[in-house]
Amino acid sequence: MRYRYTLITSVFLIILGLGAYFTHLQIQESLTPPPPLFPFVKDDFSRITKVIVWGKGDTAVCERTKSLGWWYFTNSGQGKVDSRKIQSILNEMTAISKKTPLVENAADLAQFGLNKEKIAAEVWFNEKPYKLIIGAKDISRENHFARLADSNDVFLIKNSLYKLVNKGQIELADMRVFGVDADEIEAVGFSDLENEFELIMKNGQFRLAKPQVVIIEAKDATNLFQRFQDLQMHMIKRNSDQKDIDLDKPELIFSLKTKGQLINLGLTTKNDEIYHGRRNTDKQIVEFRKGTIRSLISAFTDLLAEETAQEPKETEVTEKG
C-alpha cells in the first residue's frame, strides 16, 4: 500500500515538474524577441553596396561608391542620391521582425495587393539581393501587407516604410548641391565675369585668399561653410527637358573642396527668376531660384567688406601705441 502511494506521488510530482518546465519554456519564448527578417543590421550597412527602389512607376538603382561612401543613381543621369533617405529605408527594414506570418503560403496574393511588384525595395548585402514587396493597406489603414520576393508568406509592415519606398528618382535625389557636412569643407569659392573669391581653412585658421588675403573670424567662416552645406537646388530637370541648355560657359561658378573631391557648380540665366546649373561631378541640369544664389553671393561680398573695414582701425591703434 505504501509503495503504491509513493509511486502515485512520484508520478504526480513528475507531471507537475514537466508542466512547470514547459510553462517556463513558453514564457521564455514569449519574452525572447523574434529574430530580424533580414540578415543585415545597422553595423552592416557598410557592406550594402546597392539598393533598388520601385515606386511611383519609377525604378531607382542606387549604388554606393567604395571610396567616399556616397550614393549615386546608376540607371539614369539623375546624379547623387540623398544618403539620408537610403539610410531611413535601411533602418526601417532592419526593424522588421521574423515573426509568424499573417498568412502562410498565401494562394491568392492579389487580395493583399502582392501579385504585382509595383512598390518594392531590394537590398544587396554581401553581394546577395534581399527583396521586399509591399502591397495594399490592411483594414486598420495603419499597416501594409508585404512579402519577400522568394516567398508567399504575408506579413504586415508599418506605413512609414511604404512612404519611404514609394518614391521616384526625383524624390530620392539629393537636393543639396554639395552634399557634404560643413566640417568636411576645406575651401569654398565664387567667381563671375568680374570677381573671384576664395575662402580656405588651413592649419585651423580661416582666411580669404582671393581677391586679397584677409584673416576671417572662425564664426563668420563657419557660417559661410554652413551656407554651402545647406544650399539646395529648386528642381532637377529630366533628361528630356535638357535640350538647348548651354552651360559650357557659365556666368557664375561656385566651388567647394574637401579632402577627397573638388565640386564646381556652373550657373547660367534661364529667366529673371531662375538659374540653370550643373555640377562637374554629373551631367544633371538643375534649377535654382535667383534669390537663393544672390544670397550666397552676398555672403562672400559682405564677409570681405566686414573684415576689410576693420583693418584701418587696427592699424590706427598700432600707430598710436
Side-chain angles (χ1 to χ4, degrees):
M1 184 73 177
R2 181 178 299 175
Y3 172 76
R4 186 177 177 184
Y5 173 78
T6 302
L7 181 62
I8 293 172
T9 303
S10 299
V11 171
F12 175 76
L13 290 174
I14 291 172
I15 294 172
L16 188 64
L18 287 172
Y21 174 73
F22 284 114
T23 301
H24 172 73
L25 287 181
Q26 289 176 341
I27 292 174
Q28 285 294 105
E29 187 176 346
S30 64
L31 293 176
T32 304
L37 183 65
F38 297 100
F40 48 84
V41 295
K42 291 183 179 180
D43 292 340
D44 298 323
F45 285 178
S46 61
R47 287 188 282 165
I48 294 174
T49 56
K50 181 163 61 175
V51 175
I52 306 176
V53 176
W54 290 265
K56 293 192 174 177
D58 199 1
T59 302
V61 181
C62 313
E63 296 193 47
R64 187 171 58 84
T65 59
K66 292 182 179 179
S67 57
L68 298 174
W70 292 348
W71 291 84
Y72 287 90
F73 296 108
T74 56
N75 64 323
S76 71
Q78 297 291 2
K80 197 174 179 184
V81 182
D82 192 334
S83 59
R84 298 168 298 181
K85 295 174 183 177
I86 296 295
Q87 185 85 19
S88 296
I89 291 173
L90 296 176
N91 287 340
E92 289 273 353
M93 291 180 72
T94 57
I96 302 174
S97 299
K98 191 175 184 180
K99 49 193 174 186
T100 303
L102 188 69
V103 179
E104 292 187 6
N105 197 25
D108 183 13
L109 292 173
Q111 65 176 311
F112 304 104
L114 291 169
N115 56 320
K116 296 181 180 180
E117 301 179 7
K118 291 184 178 180
I119 310 298
E122 181 177 275
V123 175
W124 283 72
F125 172 64
N126 285 344
E127 300 184 355
K128 183 179 178 181
Y130 297 88
K131 189 172 185 178
L132 176 71
I133 302 167
I134 304 175
K137 283 186 178 181
D138 70 346
I139 194 170
S140 73
R141 313 296 293 175
E142 296 180 357
N143 305 288
H144 276 262
F145 298 111
R147 69 178 178 91
L148 297 178
D150 58 356
S151 171
N152 281 6
D153 290 348
V154 177
F155 53 92
L156 293 175
I157 63 165
K158 296 178 180 178
N159 280 347
S160 54
L161 178 53
Y162 167 82
K163 291 177 181 178
L164 289 170
V165 172
N166 189 26
K167 295 182 183 294
Q169 290 191 38
I170 297 296
E171 293 170 291
L172 287 171
D174 194 341
M175 300 304 284
R176 297 173 300 169
V177 177
F178 299 106
V180 298
D181 294 330
D183 57 7
E184 298 178 65
I185 301 173
E186 292 186 343
V188 294
F190 159 71
S191 63
D192 58 16
L193 298 177
E194 298 179 355
N195 304 289
E196 185 175 5
F197 297 88
E198 184 181 22
L199 175 65
I200 65 174
M201 195 276 283
K202 190 173 182 180
N203 299 326
Q205 188 180 60
F206 295 93
R207 64 180 64 190
L208 203 59
K210 297 176 182 179
Q212 61 193 75
V213 177
V214 179
I215 302 301
I216 304 295
E217 289 189 20
K219 64 178 181 64
D220 295 328
T222 302
N223 287 339
L224 185 55
F225 280 11
Q226 188 71 42
R227 295 283 292 274
F228 268 77
Q229 173 188 303
D230 296 338
L231 181 63
Q232 293 200 15
M233 59 196 79
H234 166 59
M235 186 175 73
I236 297 176
K237 302 286 287 184
R238 292 189 178 275
N239 293 336
S240 58
D241 299 329
Q242 295 185 22
K243 297 176 181 178
D244 302 323
I245 298 177
D246 185 13
L247 278 163
D248 292 335
K249 296 181 179 180
E251 302 167 24
L252 311 173
I253 298 176
F254 288 95
S255 62
L256 180 145
K257 183 180 179 182
T258 67
K259 288 183 179 180
Q261 194 171 32
L262 172 64
I263 306 173
N264 289 325
L265 170 69
L267 299 166
T268 189
T269 297
K270 175 186 177 182
N271 54 42
D272 291 341
E273 299 296 328
I274 299 293
Y275 279 115
H276 281 140
R278 184 174 63 200
R279 293 165 291 201
N280 63 319
T281 53
D282 57 71
K283 297 180 180 180
Q284 185 62 48
I285 293 179
V286 298
E287 289 189 356
F288 297 87
R289 298 189 190 279
K290 283 196 170 181
T292 302
I293 299 302
R294 288 170 183 154
S295 175
L296 191 55
I297 295 173
S298 296
F300 273 101
T301 56
D302 291 348
L303 190 62
L304 177 62
E306 180 180 341
E307 296 299 333
T308 54
Q310 294 176 5
E311 288 187 338
K313 296 179 181 179
E314 294 174 359
T315 303
E316 289 175 12
V317 173
T318 303
E319 290 175 353
K320 287 179 181 179

